[in-house]
Amino acid sequence: MKAFYGDLKLGILGGGQLGRMLIQESINFNISSYVLDPDNNAPCKDLCEKFVQGSLMDYDTVYNFGKDLDILTIEIEKVNVYALEQLEKEGIKVYPQSNVIRLIQDKGIQKQFFKEKQIPTAAFLLFKNKEELLSANIPFPYIQKLRRDGYDGKGVILINNVKDLQKAFNEPSLIEDLIPFEKELAVIVARNEKGEVKTFPCVEMEFNPEANLVEFLISPSTLDTEILDKADQLAKKVAEDLKIIGILAVEMFLTKTGELLVNEIAPRPHNSGHQSIEGNYTSQYEQLLRAIFNLPLGDTRTISNAVMINLLGEKGFEGDAIYEGLNDALALEGIYLHLYGKKITKPFRKMGHVTILDDDREKAIEKARFVQNIIKVKS
């Protein structure tokens, strides 16, 4: 391994906000970052050592991008796995490994993996197309998820009745039981080459009902110790079963009967870990670097109660972004602003996030509600 003196070359597949925050952390480690993204105005473009515009799904583009680098990682799962497999054969370190990315890319294979490894998850069935689904006569209600390419609430629909079947996906999908859950939780877990594993304290999430993506997160969770211990052990089990090198976000449902079910997993930095930049001794981004460079994993304890809110583009606005309410929000103590460098806002587009710290949990939540109501991203 090269020394940490600027000659370490880290390739990041994807140039969005997750890559941007990873680059911000990598500067502290003297790591040179190289980024591949199809968008010539990607948030990472002006922060990295070298930016390459190109398709993440094109074999030659991904292979040529990665062949002279030391380590490749991802900030989005939709990448060409065949190119990554070839790079691994040629000695390039790809973390998370290509076989992990392949599994994550297909939610059907992901659910079959859960079943095989006895990881608790909602009951499911797999379907090739809409016709096959219609002929199955499954009792309502249920959730339909596209097996591939769904993210940030896209590719997921609720089927409540016969009328809803009109909007059902015609592509390969999975059907899940609709779980009457009490809370949605997440645990981020890291694992390095030595096999060292560490988890971040469990967090609680609230989703935007219209966009179906996280808009409010509270860290750490104050649920019963028994539940938190189970969530922690479950996240570790998933990471160990995958043998992942890197970090993994494990999203779970806490059912009304106290059961924990794994919903989905993401092998990269995740929305449910943004608050760790200020709220934990080690951020998820530093922990990812420690994991993939096989360094000792960092201290994941929380420093304070932290609430994270996503700054989403307002409905009805599309164009050059204008941020209203920043002065009033930043006048409060314990407010940390992260804007993602996206010039254009669109409805529900993730434009940034705000983390609110306070030793008093209720005060942190109260401030977060205020910030959530006052900051508006318009055009």
Side-chain angles (χ1 to χ4, degrees):
M1 177 63 71
K2 296 180 182 178
F4 284 91
Y5 296 116
D7 54 356
L8 276 169
K9 295 178 181 178
L10 171 67
I12 305 172
L13 296 174
Q17 64 265 18
L18 302 179
R20 181 182 173 97
M21 288 182 271
L22 181 60
I23 291 170
Q24 288 170 331
E25 186 60 57
S26 70
I27 291 167
N28 293 332
F29 284 78
N30 287 334
I31 295 167
S32 297
S33 299
Y34 295 68
V35 174
L36 175 67
D37 193 274
D39 181 2
N40 199 39
N41 294 310
C44 284
K45 183 181 180 183
D46 297 325
L47 294 183
C48 56
E49 181 83 11
K50 182 179 180 183
F51 180 83
V52 177
Q53 183 182 13
S55 170
L56 298 172
M57 291 301 293
D58 181 72
Y59 179 96
D60 290 336
T61 301
V62 172
Y63 173 79
N64 289 325
F65 171 75
K67 65 181 181 179
D68 297 319
L69 302 176
D70 297 306
I71 292 182
L72 270 178
T73 192
I74 62 169
E75 66 119 50
I76 186 171
E77 294 90 342
K78 195 176 177 183
V79 297
N80 190 298
V81 178
Y82 298 102
L84 297 183
E85 287 172 339
Q86 183 59 36
L87 288 166
E88 284 175 326
K89 287 175 186 173
E90 295 178 15
I92 304 297
K93 292 178 182 287
V94 178
Y95 296 142
Q97 306 91 310
S98 61
N99 66 303
V100 173
I101 299 171
R102 185 182 290 282
L103 181 146
I104 302 289
Q105 283 180 341
D106 187 326
K107 287 186 171 69
I109 296 174
Q110 191 181 132
K111 293 287 278 191
Q112 288 171 326
F113 171 80
F114 293 160
K115 188 175 180 180
E116 175 193 330
K117 297 295 183 179
Q118 298 182 314
I119 295 163
T121 190
F124 68 98
L125 294 168
L126 303 180
F127 292 93
K128 293 177 185 173
N129 51 43
K130 189 173 181 177
E131 183 183 357
E132 194 174 275
L133 172 61
L134 294 177
S135 64
N137 292 318
I138 301 169
F140 305 112
Y142 54 81
I143 301 288
Q144 184 187 22
K145 295 181 179 179
L146 288 177
R147 289 182 63 164
R148 289 185 169 271
D149 300 340
Y151 68 97
D152 279 353
K154 298 177 179 68
V156 179
I157 55 172
L158 170 62
I159 307 291
N160 267 315
N161 48 46
V162 173
K163 188 179 177 184
D164 284 348
L165 286 171
Q166 296 172 9
K167 63 183 181 183
F169 301 123
N170 194 31
E171 295 85 1
S173 65
L174 64 93
I175 298 300
E176 283 184 345
D177 285 352
L178 181 62
I179 303 298
F181 60 84
E182 192 71 34
K183 282 187 183 292
E184 296 199 52
L185 309 174
V187 174
I188 289 180
V189 54
R191 183 176 178 273
N192 63 17
E193 274 187 274
K194 297 186 190 86
E196 182 187 5
V197 176
K198 273 196 179 180
T199 52
F200 284 79
C202 182
V203 302
E204 301 175 18
M205 300 181 290
E206 289 183 15
F207 283 71
N208 180 298
E210 194 169 351
N212 194 28
L213 49 81
V214 177
E215 70 172 0
F216 200 84
L217 175 146
I218 307 170
S219 169
S221 171
T222 54
L223 290 168
D224 290 346
T225 305
E226 185 181 352
I227 293 170
L228 297 179
D229 286 345
K230 280 183 184 176
D232 192 77
Q233 292 305 314
L234 193 49
K236 285 177 179 172
K237 174 175 168 53
V238 178
E240 295 277 20
D241 287 345
L242 281 173
K243 296 181 172 57
I244 189 173
I245 296 171
I247 64 171
L248 183 75
V250 183
E251 296 181 85
M252 310 175 202
F253 295 131
L254 172 63
T255 70
K256 292 185 181 298
T257 57
E259 191 180 3
L260 283 173
L261 302 176
V262 174
N263 179 27
E264 291 180 2
I265 54 179
R268 52 168 172 76
H270 192 260
N271 205 244
S272 61
H274 288 344
Q275 83 296 334
S276 63
I277 297 171
E278 289 87 20
N280 296 68
Y281 286 100
T282 303
S283 75
Q284 66 167 336
Y285 300 98
E286 180 182 344
Q287 197 75 309
L288 172 57
L289 294 173
R290 285 170 174 260
I292 64 179
F293 285 100
N294 205 23
L295 299 167
L297 297 180
D299 182 353
T300 59
R301 288 176 301 154
T302 55
I303 296 170
S304 172
N305 295 295
V307 181
M308 188 280 296
I309 59 169
N310 279 321
L311 299 180
L312 307 177
E314 290 290 307
K315 282 178 69 176
F317 293 90
E318 183 164 344
D320 289 357
I322 297 170
Y323 298 86
E324 295 181 353
L326 291 184
N327 282 357
D328 290 336
L330 291 171
L332 298 173
E333 290 184 1
I335 306 296
Y336 299 89
L337 177 68
H338 296 263
L339 300 182
Y340 296 156
K342 297 177 181 179
K343 180 178 172 60
I344 303 298
T345 184
K346 300 174 185 176
F348 301 117
R349 189 182 194 195
K350 289 179 182 174
M351 301 299 291
H353 76 265
V354 179
T355 301
I356 299 93
L357 299 190
D358 201 295
D359 291 337
D360 185 313
R361 191 173 193 265
E362 291 309 311
K363 282 184 181 175
I365 293 171
E366 186 182 319
K367 287 181 192 174
R369 295 286 184 209
F370 173 80
V371 171
Q372 189 175 39
N373 288 328
I374 202 164
I375 297 181
K376 302 295 179 188
V377 188
K378 298 181 179 178
S379 61

